[in-house]
DNA sequence: GTAATTAGTGTAATAGTTACACTTTGTGAA
DNA sequence: TTCACAAAGTGTAACTATTACACTAATTAC
């Protein structure tokens, strides 16, 4: 009771102190994005519990008593995929009164980006089953998960233009075409090939590895890697602004 | 007990169900910005309660049981200032384990923008006393309020370049110089007068009222107003990008 | 060796950004 | 009434970034 009564001392005396200590729970949801050469995917779990048992939903879990929020989000990811050390971003907190049928639940939404090749489904208490879904399949989710998903995808769209986070979704060595397809998938528009290459190379943080793609039935592409150190030196203070013309974009 | 036990059914069975229902509280903080002709200000309250009694802190309060998060943030603002219908934005949620000395407290941080002239200190249960502070005075705040403040100010800096929110801080009729000073205060850099005017006028959502400033001991400036409808029509889909050269900015 | 497939490349027109300094219009004091 | 003061208001040329656009090169599979 000690914690409770102390918190209540700090509360407004206009209200009954107990009003501020109602039954509630808080959770994190972590929207996990992956990219598989062609499409942007999201990892959904099949719920093993009521409510909405057996429906596909965003992965999430309660935050433990002695656990920070970011840690909880990382734990959800790690338990589900075994992947650690990823790009993680807190997006928005959802706490409408009626959003959970069983009571007041506040959910802090994160997204994270992983290399889909690193993914290996783990036996996990969080989910019965997990699977990658195309973005277009992500609708009709339970709770307010459609809204949460939209907020996270939206944030990703904004961030991709200002931070070098695309590389988190690609293997360490990638071709410029793969990178372009990734940008196109996130931004949901086709980009002009020459302008894309000119722009991204002019930013000067990609290193040409002088290696060629193998095992493709056409002219092999050069492989590049992202130079994080160089990025830091060049852009740490000012940041960048990636904006390339979609193909056949009409001028006003 | 009904709510509690139902939520607990939905929880992971790997953990003791009660672990997910520990003693906790959640609050909103609302960082209230105002602009007084020259400087950007923040409204701080003098805490009337332990911990940190009598220290200046960010305004905040518990979220009530039947209250949405945004509503709670608006309530904090209204109780403190009487101002309603403002620009409000959720910024980030803070929930580190040790951030509150009395127990686990999750805080959802918002900022809001008000016209300082509308402000009138209300008798309020939230604060003993409230006062505007210059940005440079906002440091050494209790809890992790320095970090919360930084996150909100940062967000404001980003948003001012992409949304027409500056007008929320100015009277309905304002001069271009006032507007420029506001941008300078938020961005923390001096801007070039001619470039600023050219850019903001070219955006085509300011209306020249054909009225002049009164009561100044120099050439009076023209008054403008922001045309919200026109803004919507022009920018609803694409948004804008406000970026004007600081004065004497050196090129690389 | 030829068809299929994707990689890779340059330029001119246009649009946007930047740097920069003097004239105008009002007030208020002598 | 005029002069000092203060801030308002204004244009342009140089530079930089963005856009639109189509063919040749390299490889594999048959």
């Amino acid at each position: 009771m000690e914690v409770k009564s102390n918190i209540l001392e700090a509360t407004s005396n206009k209200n009954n102190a107990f009003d501020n200590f109602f039954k509630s729970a808080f959770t994190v949801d972590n929207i996990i994005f992956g990219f598989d050469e062609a499409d942007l995917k999201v990892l959904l779990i099949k719920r093993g519990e009521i409510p909405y048992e057996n429906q596909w939903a965003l992965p999430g879990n309660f935050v433990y008593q002695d656990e920070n929020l970011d840690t909880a989000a990382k734990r959800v990811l790690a338990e589900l995929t075994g992947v650690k050390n990823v790009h993680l971003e807190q997006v928005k907190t959802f706490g409408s009164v009626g959003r959970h049928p069983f009571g007041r639940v506040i959910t802090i939404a994160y997204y994270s980006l992983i290399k889909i090749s690193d993914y290996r489904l783990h036996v996990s208490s969080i989910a019965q089953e997990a699977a990658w879904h195309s973005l277009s399949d992500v609708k009709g989710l339970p709770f307010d998960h459609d809204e949460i998903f939209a907020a996270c995808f939206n944030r990703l769209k904004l961030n991709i233009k200002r931070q070098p986070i695309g590389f988190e979704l690609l293997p360490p060595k990638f071709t410029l075409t793969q990178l372009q397809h990734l940008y196109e998938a996130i931004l949901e528009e086709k980009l002009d090939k020459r302008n894309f290459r000119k722009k991204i190379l002019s930013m000067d943080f990609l290193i040409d590895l002088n290696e060629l793609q193998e095992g493709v039935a056409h002219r092999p592409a050069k492989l590049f890697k992202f130079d994080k150190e160089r990025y830091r030196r060049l852009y740490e203070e000012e940041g960048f602004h990636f904006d390339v013309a979609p193909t056949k974009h009409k001028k006003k």
Side-chain angles (χ1 to χ4, degrees), chain A:
Chain A
M1 257 324 108
E2 184 197 339
V3 169
K4 191 175 197 171
S5 57
N6 282 340
I7 286 184
L8 294 177
E9 279 187 69
T11 218
S12 151
N13 50 18
K14 181 177 139 193
N15 307 290
N16 182 316
F18 279 88
D19 289 350
N20 299 321
F21 218 85
F22 49 87
K23 299 189 189 91
S24 64
F26 59 102
T27 71
V28 291
D29 280 356
N30 191 353
I31 287 61
I32 300 164
F33 290 99
F35 181 69
D36 74 349
E37 297 285 304
D39 284 311
L40 195 61
K41 306 271 186 178
V42 186
L43 197 62
L44 299 183
I45 59 155
K46 188 167 266 183
R47 286 180 62 85
E49 307 134 351
I50 57 163
Y52 303 108
E53 193 168 3
N54 292 322
Q55 284 193 41
W56 291 105
L58 299 174
N61 203 230
F62 287 96
V63 178
Y64 299 154
Q65 177 151 18
D66 57 353
E67 187 181 45
N68 285 342
L69 304 178
D70 289 7
T71 312
K74 284 177 197 160
R75 176 173 53 79
V76 167
L77 177 70
E79 286 187 14
L80 216 51
T81 68
V83 179
K84 289 171 187 176
N85 299 318
V86 290
H87 180 84
L88 181 79
E89 169 140 341
Q90 195 198 103
V91 176
K92 198 180 168 186
T93 295
F94 294 81
S96 296
V97 169
R99 66 182 289 275
H100 195 295
F102 290 171
R104 190 74 193 268
V105 178
I106 275 68
T107 294
I108 299 117
Y110 287 79
Y111 76 73
S112 39
L113 305 177
I114 72 169
K115 300 185 209 311
I116 219 163
S117 55
D118 292 353
Y119 167 73
R120 213 186 122 281
L121 178 57
H122 278 228
V123 177
S124 159
S125 62
I126 291 179
Q128 270 191 326
E129 191 187 338
W132 294 104
H133 290 246
S134 289
L135 289 212
S136 52
D137 298 346
V138 181
K139 53 188 172 218
L141 298 177
F143 308 105
D144 51 359
H145 282 191
D146 281 343
E147 197 191 338
I148 294 177
F149 172 74
C152 289
F153 183 40
N154 236 330
R155 185 69 142 268
L156 174 58
K157 270 189 198 191
L158 282 176
N159 285 351
I160 194 73
K161 293 196 172 192
R162 306 223 146 253
Q163 296 170 8
I165 54 177
F167 312 105
E168 308 289 337
L169 291 159
L170 291 174
K173 301 174 179 187
F174 51 84
T175 70
L176 294 181
T177 300
Q178 286 174 322
L179 186 59
Q180 181 179 342
H181 287 161
L182 172 59
Y183 271 79
E184 289 175 339
I186 293 175
L187 297 173
E188 296 185 295
E189 51 186 18
K190 289 262 173 286
L191 304 176
D192 180 87
K193 182 160 67 162
R194 278 180 287 195
N195 292 339
F196 177 83
R197 286 165 180 239
K198 205 188 319 170
K199 178 83 187 191
I200 203 91
L201 289 175
S202 76
M203 287 182 170
D204 216 32
F205 50 58
L206 292 187
I207 295 182
D208 183 344
L209 293 167
N210 292 310
E211 287 178 62
L212 294 179
Q213 209 179 14
E214 280 173 21
V216 288
H218 54 75
R219 175 174 179 180
K222 292 205 272 187
L223 292 171
F224 290 81
K225 77 178 178 81
F226 170 59
D227 186 339
K228 205 165 192 167
E229 266 320 301
R230 202 166 165 72
Y231 169 78
R232 287 231 182 87
R233 250 176 295 129
L234 294 170
Y235 294 98
E236 188 146 61
E237 287 179 21
E238 300 273 318
F240 64 83
H241 193 335
F242 181 91
D243 239 336
V244 174
T247 36
K248 315 234 166 138
H249 178 257
K250 302 297 183 293
K251 288 288 177 49
K252 307 148 206 170

